[in-house]
Amino acid sequence: MKTEERHASWLELFFDLVAVAGVAQLSHLVRGTTSWGDAGLYVVCFLAFWTAWMCFTVYGNVTGAEARTMPVLLAMAGLVFMAGSVHNIGEYAQAFAIAYVAVRGLASRVWESKGATKVIVEWPVVHAGMGVVPWFVSFWVDAPWKYALWALGLAIDLVAGLTMSGEQAAARVAERAAQSKRPMPGLAFAHLDIAHFGERLGLFTIIVLGEGVLTVTEAMTEVSEWQGALFWTVLGVLALLAALWGAALFQGFGGIPYLSQAAWGPRVLLPVHCLVAGLLAALAAGFGDVVEAVSHGHVDAGTRWLVCGCLAVFTVVGVVARVASGGWKRWDFVGVVFGVGVPVGMGVVGGVLTPGRFLWVLVVGVLPGLVREFPRRRLG
């Protein structure tokens, strides 16, 4: 008997609005910056926000129509405070950390109900553990060591997500219950609905790509005179966004370029999705800077390497996903050479080009990897 395909519920879609706010704020951390420190802080903050969002995405995926509304709304409030803290993270770092710990703590409790505790086999990170401890310690530590503790906590979660089994997570749940001297509810193992999960990950990717469109429209308002160079540049950004959409969603799965649904399990799928989403959010910021660069006729080195580096890494992820999906062909060598070589070349010499030409050369670099599928997947 064929089961009915699940789609995102209204509660899940409402919850995803925090992703809109979070990505918008996070991308501003790398707008116009040439600092490696700012780039590192962006990585830490983005991974923290994504992890907190993912904990409740997993909750909605597993529980479906049985998801409790109030915990989801409370988590949404916590993520809003995280997003609002990013704009001036130096002053509001404490608020960011407190909101993160609160959301993670709430996420670990929602699995206990009706005398039973569900343990997520594929991603036991949802059951808050050692990864939250460095964040708690950071309440009493000043920057930059505060940020280092955040990174340590996230690294612990990442390793746990890749290596810890559901049985190990269950043992830790039992151990915490024993230490707190409270009754231990029965344990049950739960699994993710991968098809529904891919939809949720894809929706997050759409949100990130939408941030690119929003950033470009905002940057257009900063250009005093709308001439041909501006139109050429904006069209170049839209062409790149369309190519990224095609690779990540039209030809990919869960926002990961060129990946088939069955190629990777959640343990690999989730961190790679975070990487791709982070790349796309950083690209959104870079595209805004490129549009603003129309006023002085060239793209600064920091912006060039931000855009080109993200595109090159995006290509590499796509290559690995294609190999994992068993779809590697000789034409893919051309896609790799163009997809990595052109961005690297533009990072070196792109400063002599106008912003519009810089973008359209990058479009040429992205297209070979994309067009391979066009005979089989028509645009419609």
Side-chain angles (χ1 to χ4, degrees):
M1 181 176 178
K2 186 177 180 181
T3 59
E4 184 178 352
E5 184 179 356
R6 280 183 59 196
H7 294 287
S9 67
W10 291 118
L11 178 61
E12 288 175 308
L13 293 173
F14 185 52
F15 177 74
D16 283 349
L17 290 178
V18 298
V20 177
V23 171
Q25 294 300 320
L26 287 161
S27 64
H28 281 85
L29 287 176
V30 286
R31 279 293 302 271
T33 184
T34 58
S35 167
W36 284 107
D38 289 344
L41 184 58
Y42 164 77
V43 171
V44 171
C45 290
F46 187 93
L47 182 53
F49 186 88
W50 179 90
T51 300
W53 174 83
M54 182 56 63
C55 285
F56 277 87
T57 298
V58 168
Y59 174 67
N61 177 268
V62 172
T63 57
E66 297 179 0
R68 289 175 284 167
T69 301
M70 187 52 65
V72 175
L73 295 180
L74 289 174
M76 188 175 180
L79 285 164
V80 166
F81 280 105
M82 287 180 68
S85 304
V86 168
H87 184 69
N88 192 359
I89 191 66
E91 183 175 350
Y92 298 118
Q94 194 79 325
F96 186 91
I98 291 172
Y100 176 80
V101 171
V103 172
R104 291 297 306 277
L106 180 62
S108 70
R109 298 298 299 274
V110 294
W111 301 102
E112 301 176 11
S113 65
K114 299 180 180 179
T117 295
K118 288 184 178 179
V119 177
I120 308 306
V121 174
E122 295 94 345
W123 204 59
V125 172
V126 296
H127 309 285
M130 290 300 297
V132 178
V133 173
W135 284 81
F136 187 76
V137 175
S138 76
F139 294 167
W140 295 275
V141 179
D142 294 328
W145 292 108
K146 179 185 290 289
Y147 305 143
L149 285 169
W150 294 0
L152 174 62
L154 293 167
I156 292 172
D157 280 338
L158 181 61
V159 172
L162 291 172
T163 62
M164 186 185 297
S165 67
E167 290 78 5
Q168 290 172 315
R172 293 196 175 188
V173 171
E175 181 182 353
R176 290 203 304 272
Q179 291 174 349
S180 63
K181 297 181 179 180
R182 58 188 176 89
M184 180 65 202
L187 291 176
F189 295 106
H191 296 272
L192 298 174
D193 181 334
I194 297 301
H196 173 261
F197 206 60
E199 181 187 66
R200 297 298 309 284
L201 298 180
L203 287 172
F204 190 95
T205 303
I206 283 290
I207 289 170
V208 177
L209 291 172
E211 176 59 25
V213 176
L214 179 61
T215 301
V216 168
T217 56
E218 290 179 347
M220 291 172 66
T221 66
E222 302 296 325
V223 179
S224 57
E225 296 184 10
W226 284 23
Q227 298 179 349
L230 176 64
F231 294 105
W232 185 242
T233 301
V234 171
L235 289 174
V237 171
L238 295 178
L240 274 174
L241 287 172
L244 295 170
W245 163 81
L249 295 167
F250 187 67
Q251 297 185 19
F253 173 74
I256 299 175
Y258 311 124
L259 182 72
S260 67
Q261 179 175 331
W264 286 333
R267 291 180 185 273
V268 177
L269 182 67
L270 293 185
V272 176
H273 175 270
C274 182
L275 171 61
V276 173
L279 292 171
L280 294 177
L283 275 170
F287 288 154
D289 291 335
V290 172
V291 172
E292 290 184 2
V294 170
S295 300
H296 51 265
H298 69 277
V299 183
D300 295 334
T303 300
R304 286 202 317 272
W305 282 111
L306 173 65
V307 172
C308 294
C310 288
L311 285 176
V313 176
F314 183 89
T315 297
V316 172
V317 172
V319 169
V320 174
R322 207 162 234 171
V323 171
S325 301
W328 182 261
K329 297 180 180 179
R330 284 180 294 179
W331 174 257
D332 291 317
F333 286 107
V334 178
V336 173
V337 171
F338 275 76
V340 175
V342 171
V344 170
M346 284 297 95
V348 175
V349 303
V352 302
L353 301 178
T354 63
R357 290 177 179 175
F358 167 77
L359 289 172
W360 281 101
V361 172
L362 292 178
V363 172
V364 172
V366 173
L367 283 181
L370 190 67
V371 298
R372 190 195 76 158
E373 298 292 326
F374 279 4
R376 292 195 300 114
R377 300 190 185 188
R378 295 180 297 173
L379 289 175

